[in-house]
Amino acid sequence: MTTTTGKPLTLMNPAYALRELQSSFVDNSGIRSHITSLKLLNPANVADDWEKGVLKKFEQGIRRLWK
């Protein structure tokens, strides 16, 4: 794909694009983040114990954990 001005564009899978963004965010700010789920598609995204607890609460319908 190219823009109307001729600049080439690359289509990216949204999860891949987010991982790329997260990687550069760590480099620039020192803040770490990652994609995770209780139903893993990628074993590299395994949730830690805290994340598992929060994800289970979301599954139970809790939408807000802090006030």
Side-chain angles (χ1 to χ4, degrees):
M1 292 185 90
T2 59
T3 66
T4 55
T5 62
K7 181 176 181 175
L9 302 174
T10 302
L11 293 175
M12 298 174 81
N13 171 295
Y16 176 80
L18 184 55
R19 281 193 299 274
E20 288 292 307
L21 177 67
Q22 290 168 322
S23 174
S24 65
F25 193 66
V26 169
D27 295 342
N28 294 326
S29 70
I31 297 173
R32 181 185 67 89
S33 65
H34 71 116
I35 299 171
T36 191
S37 173
L38 293 174
K39 300 170 188 153
L40 287 177
L41 298 177
N42 180 345
N45 297 336
V46 67
D48 64 24
D49 291 338
W50 182 87
E51 292 166 331
K52 285 178 189 173
V54 172
L55 291 169
K56 287 178 183 177
K57 288 182 182 193
F58 286 148
E59 281 189 340
Q60 296 167 358
I62 296 170
R63 296 291 175 229
R64 187 172 179 177
L65 301 175
W66 300 275
K67 292 183 181 186

